[in-house]
Amino acid sequence: MKDHGILMSSDGPQQNVIKIKPRLTFTIGNEDEVLFYLHKIFGEDFMRQI
């Protein structure tokens, strides 16, 4: 996500919570952009890139 200009981190006891950094109020357009890149990145095969 950092490569796309979106800063995020994981949190929680099992690191299963995604946090956007810093906390911001954003528009529906920003929401669409974040969801687009999350979908793209979650669909990547990281083992194939090695």
Side-chain angles (χ1 to χ4, degrees), residues 1-49:
M1 296 298 285
K2 185 178 178 182
D3 291 342
H4 302 291
I6 301 168
L7 301 179
M8 303 183 98
S9 68
S10 60
D11 199 4
Q14 297 178 355
Q15 299 296 310
N16 60 350
V17 176
I18 297 174
K19 287 188 171 183
I20 300 172
K21 304 285 185 170
R23 294 180 206 160
L24 300 171
T25 302
F26 56 87
T27 67
I28 290 175
N30 299 127
E31 175 186 333
D32 291 340
E33 182 180 7
V34 169
L35 292 175
F36 171 81
Y37 286 117
L38 279 174
H39 185 267
K40 177 182 177 191
I41 290 169
F42 287 155
E44 291 179 359
D45 184 352
F46 290 102
M47 294 304 290
R48 188 176 294 179
Q49 296 177 8

